[in-house]
Amino acid sequence: MPARRQLLAIIAALGLLLTTLVPCRAQTLTARQSEAVATYERALGDFKAILAERRRQIDAKQPLPNLPGQALYLARVAMISAYKDLTDAMPSRIGRPNKFEIPPAYFDADIEPLVDEYSKLFEIMEAPPAGAQNSATPFKDVVDLAVAIARAKGLAPDHAEAAGRISLGLFFAETNGKQNVRNGRSNTYMGSFQTGPSEDRNGRRKWETIKAEIAAADPGLSARDDKEEARARATDHRFNHWTNVRDGLMNAHADVFREIPGIVKTLPDPIDQMKLFELIQIVPTPTRSALKSGDLLNYRVSSPTIMKHLRNNSIFAFGQADRARTSASFREILGAMWLFKRKFEKAMAKYAEIKPR
């Protein structure tokens, strides 16, 4: 009898243990949870389908639709959004870290290969056109031009070097460090710094106003500029790496270089500095207003148009909670730019290679 009671006690303990270990298997999902699961599975299926369709078209050398990357991009946004809604409804679905450094609440690490394929397809669709004028030193060009422009704007050497580092971050943010690329989502923005025709023309005009000053300070860089300008003559300057970087910096960023001494005090993290200058690309007017406000991080934007521009650039774009935002401070905006972080880390590593030279 004692042995039988002991056996019964062990069986009871095992039953209690199993109940403790696997309660979730017996749980019934709520309506919200069931809907979130179904929405994510549907979004994931749609993403796989458009990836497969583009791959088939490319491999078969079939004509691609206008803006062939747009459907891919929207499917990716929908998938990430659906996963964030799923993990909001079921926090237990938040998984392990992923190689893209996307917060795990937004991304299931098991589907990393799908995003690798997404990147490969964009590389094909955005390949430079025939006749694009590459540089043998694309990263150094960005740094050299930015430093020269910053010095012409009156910056001390250390702050001019910060301008070079920040500008290299912009190159990675815009094109992942690839020169002379096209744009799978736009027929307007092209080249290493992804500028439109009017931005390119404006940058060239501004360059002419400081060219003599730069020539006096750095004859070697000026001679290189003359050579590239001659090479790009009668072509789209956006597909000459040097002239596109030069004109892109002059159009949007050169005047803001003067603010770098104050920016590095407010934002000592170099990656945050890169984020801020990328916002000058995305939402230039409110970013300049925030810089002039004297309270950069707490400056708040609430324009529906500005919030839309942010979402169109993967900021507050994923999940119902993020998309429901009607306003945000620059502190919150910088914090939401997590998709840019990996690109800026690559820029920092490349800058570390260039700087000793």
Side-chain angles (χ1 to χ4, degrees):
M1 288 297 293
R4 185 170 180 275
R5 283 197 298 269
Q6 188 175 18
L7 179 61
L8 290 173
I10 292 172
I11 292 171
L14 285 172
L16 178 62
L17 178 61
L18 288 171
T19 302
T20 304
L21 288 175
V22 293
C24 60
R25 294 185 182 273
Q27 275 186 351
T28 301
L29 299 182
T30 66
R32 179 191 174 204
Q33 290 170 336
S34 295
E35 181 181 355
V37 170
T39 300
Y40 175 65
E41 290 177 351
R42 184 165 55 250
L44 180 59
D46 290 344
F47 185 55
K48 291 177 179 178
I50 189 62
L51 288 173
E53 180 183 0
R54 285 291 177 273
R55 174 56 69 182
R56 283 194 302 270
Q57 291 170 332
I58 289 171
D59 289 349
K61 297 183 171 24
Q62 295 175 353
L64 298 179
N66 183 43
L67 307 182
Q70 184 68 355
L72 281 173
Y73 171 78
L74 292 176
R76 175 173 162 269
V77 169
M79 179 194 66
I80 297 175
S81 294
Y83 192 75
K84 180 60 166 61
D85 290 337
L86 173 59
T87 59
D88 283 348
M90 300 176 65
S92 62
R93 288 293 297 266
I94 298 175
R96 67 185 189 279
N98 56 84
K99 69 180 182 180
F100 304 114
E101 300 182 37
I102 299 173
Y106 290 80
F107 187 77
D108 181 357
D110 288 343
I111 65 164
E112 287 176 351
L114 296 180
V115 178
D116 287 334
E117 171 69 354
Y118 174 90
S119 299
K120 291 173 185 175
L121 291 173
F122 264 91
E123 283 188 21
I124 296 168
M125 294 185 295
E126 296 184 337
Q133 298 173 342
N134 282 2
S135 168
T137 55
F139 306 108
K140 184 176 183 297
D141 292 353
V142 175
V143 174
D144 288 350
L145 279 163
V147 170
I149 292 168
R151 293 290 284 155
K153 294 293 181 180
L155 268 66
D158 57 337
H159 290 134
E161 290 295 327
R165 182 182 65 243
I166 289 166
S167 298
L168 194 58
L170 294 173
F171 183 29
F172 276 85
E174 292 299 312
T175 69
N176 285 314
K178 296 178 176 65
Q179 56 182 320
N180 294 324
V181 297
R182 291 175 289 187
N183 191 317
R185 298 178 54 216
S186 171
N187 292 324
T188 301
Y189 299 103
M190 305 286 174
S192 299
F193 261 50
Q194 293 289 288
T195 54
S198 62
E199 295 167 328
D200 183 65
R201 290 191 297 269
N202 188 49
R204 290 171 70 181
R205 285 194 296 268
K206 288 185 174 183
W207 174 258
E208 290 301 319
T209 67
I210 66 168
K211 182 173 171 57
E213 185 177 351
I214 286 181
D218 192 339
L221 185 139
S222 181
R224 168 73 185 282
D225 184 69
D226 290 340
K227 177 181 176 182
E228 295 297 337
E229 187 68 36
R231 187 161 74 120
R233 190 171 295 126
T235 69
D236 187 335
H237 274 53
R238 293 176 301 164
F239 290 116
N240 173 292
H241 174 72
W242 176 276
T243 57
N244 185 236
V245 170
R246 180 197 72 190
D247 298 338
L249 288 174
M250 288 302 304
N251 171 70
H253 301 98
D255 291 336
V256 188
F257 282 168
R258 295 191 179 100
E259 308 294 330
I260 284 179
I263 289 170
V264 298
K265 288 182 180 178
T266 303
L267 301 173
D269 184 346
I271 288 181
D272 283 342
Q273 298 162 20
M274 293 175 180
K275 288 180 181 179
L276 183 68
F277 272 80
E278 179 61 16
L279 289 172
I280 292 169
Q281 291 274 95
I282 298 169
V283 285
T285 300
T287 304
R288 290 190 177 98
S289 297
L291 284 167
K292 293 176 182 176
S293 72
D295 191 10
L296 168 65
L297 291 174
N298 291 315
Y299 187 87
R300 200 162 195 89
V301 296
S302 56
S303 161
T305 300
I306 298 304
M307 296 301 290
K308 180 180 178 181
H309 285 320
L310 292 172
R311 291 190 181 99
N312 285 344
N313 286 273
S314 300
I315 304 167
F316 304 129
F318 307 109
Q320 295 177 18
D322 282 355
R323 295 184 69 84
R325 280 181 170 270
T326 57
S327 69
S329 70
F330 266 74
R331 188 189 305 277
E332 293 168 330
I333 293 169
L334 293 171
M337 294 178 72
W338 37 262
L339 267 182
F340 292 88
K341 183 184 176 191
R342 189 163 176 255
K343 297 180 179 183
F344 292 145
E345 288 173 342
K346 290 180 180 178
M348 291 287 290
K350 183 59 66 175
Y351 183 76
E353 293 177 16
I354 294 169
K355 188 176 179 182
R357 302 176 192 171

